[in-house]
Amino acid sequence: MTWTRSYSDEQLIAAVARSTSWRGVLRELGLTATSAGAMRSVRAHADRISADHNHFRGRRRWTETELRSAIGTADSWSKVVEALGLEGPSSIRTVRGHAARLGIESGHLTAEPSSTRGPDIRPDIVHLDRAGSLLAAAWYTLTGQEVAWPLEPSRYDLLVSGHEGTRRVQVKTTTVRAGDSWKVYLSTSRGERRTYDPEEIDDFFIIDGDLHCYLMPFAAVGGLHAIHLGGYSRFRVAQLGGHPLV
């Protein structure tokens, strides 16, 4: 049995001219707009009779004709998306994809220039407490020692193996100024403050707000809740490098 179209070529050409999408064409012809088969059939026949559908937008805000015109008159992809009323890097990727799919010549368009500056990101000592163990681990590693992290919650932060055997290290940081010095707490603050025990750790590694580092054996400060680092300058070690954070 031969299938007969329910519309003429003239009706299809008129429907295409009045519509901005293939679903619109199907509705104009009285066909089911959600039928993928009907859409393929109508589109194929429109191409056979050369019905111009370059004005179709679909869900886009621009037509194929507008895209071709923008590419033809622009010298960069940023100007193409600007001409189409779009903005942002994602718009450039989308438009370039459509141009490739439609076979539009775009070899004359220049790529977007790479930024000559990096992102405007600056370290800040407000994050020092989170970075403390990482900075301490880097310091020990740069001195040629081996660093391990406890697999379970422990009273020490790092296990350091090197010049003096294996040491359990508790890392402390401070951003609290006390006159010309820095004040650092050597006790935990969950509920009631609790000092450390010599059976729990061997050393404190302390980093102040200027990124100066101190390596103190537990015996030098055992039992103390807090200290002012100005009185412990003899335990200061070589800084990681660079300038203090501001």
Side-chain angles (χ1 to χ4, degrees), residues 41-112:
S41 175
V42 166
R43 180 167 185 171
H45 191 59
D47 288 338
R48 280 195 295 271
I49 63 176
S50 300
D52 183 12
H53 51 78
N54 286 340
H55 61 288
F56 279 15
R57 296 176 183 270
R59 296 182 179 179
R60 300 187 299 272
R61 293 160 52 186
W62 43 267
T63 66
E64 179 181 336
T65 300
E66 290 170 336
L67 176 59
R68 290 182 181 276
S69 175
I71 290 177
T73 57
D75 58 9
S76 70
W77 284 106
S78 61
K79 291 184 179 179
V80 171
V81 299
E82 182 180 346
L84 296 174
L86 307 173
E87 59 183 19
S90 62
S91 296
I92 293 177
R93 290 192 295 270
T94 299
V95 168
R96 291 185 70 169
H98 281 294
R101 176 179 58 81
L102 296 169
I104 303 175
E105 172 57 41
S106 59
H108 63 287
L109 298 179
T110 60
E112 301 310 300

Side-chain angles (χ1 to χ4, degrees), residues 114-137:
S114 300
S115 174
T116 57
R117 297 180 56 190
D120 187 16
I121 301 175
R122 290 175 57 86
D124 194 312
I125 61 171
V126 299
H127 307 297
L128 184 58
D129 59 334
R130 294 169 51 197
S133 294
L134 298 172
L135 293 172

Side-chain angles (χ1 to χ4, degrees), residues 23-217:
R23 292 184 186 278
V25 172
L26 294 180
R27 286 191 289 268
E28 287 284 338
L29 296 175
L31 302 175
T32 303
T34 57
S35 171
M39 189 177 298
R40 286 193 298 270
S41 175
V42 166
R43 180 167 185 171
H45 191 59
D47 288 338
R48 280 195 295 271
I49 63 176
S50 300
D52 183 12
H53 51 78
N54 286 340
H55 61 288
F56 279 15
R57 296 176 183 270
R59 296 182 179 179
R60 300 187 299 272
R61 293 160 52 186
W62 43 267
T63 66
E64 179 181 336
T65 300
E66 290 170 336
L67 176 59
R68 290 182 181 276
S69 175
I71 290 177
T73 57
D75 58 9
S76 70
W77 284 106
S78 61
K79 291 184 179 179
V80 171
V81 299
E82 182 180 346
L84 296 174
L86 307 173
E87 59 183 19
S90 62
S91 296
I92 293 177
R93 290 192 295 270
T94 299
V95 168
R96 291 185 70 169
H98 281 294
R101 176 179 58 81
L102 296 169
I104 303 175
E105 172 57 41
S106 59
H108 63 287
L109 298 179
T110 60
E112 301 310 300
S114 300
S115 174
T116 57
R117 297 180 56 190
D120 187 16
I121 301 175
R122 290 175 57 86
D124 194 312
I125 61 171
V126 299
H127 307 297
L128 184 58
D129 59 334
R130 294 169 51 197
S133 294
L134 298 172
L135 293 172
W139 187 90
Y140 280 112
T141 301
L142 288 170
T143 63
Q145 302 183 73
E146 297 293 328
V147 177
W149 306 78
L151 297 178
E152 298 180 356
S154 303
R155 291 283 280 171
Y156 60 87
D157 293 315
L158 304 173
L159 275 176
V160 179
S161 300
H163 313 306
E164 300 179 359
T166 300
R167 309 283 291 181
R168 298 162 299 176
V169 179
Q170 169 60 217
V171 180
K172 294 295 184 183
T173 63
T174 178
T175 57
V176 178
R177 294 292 301 188
D180 295 332
S181 182
W182 295 93
K183 180 179 180 179
V184 60
Y185 287 94
L186 302 180
S187 53
T188 55
S189 58
R190 294 180 180 176
E192 183 180 354
R193 280 205 167 271
R194 175 188 169 194
T195 58
Y196 291 86
D197 187 276
E199 296 298 319
E200 297 173 325
I201 67 170
D202 300 301
D203 300 312
F204 285 102
F205 191 94
I206 302 170
I207 307 170
D208 67 22
D210 289 325
L211 292 190
H212 293 141
C213 302
Y214 302 76
L215 179 54
M216 299 183 188

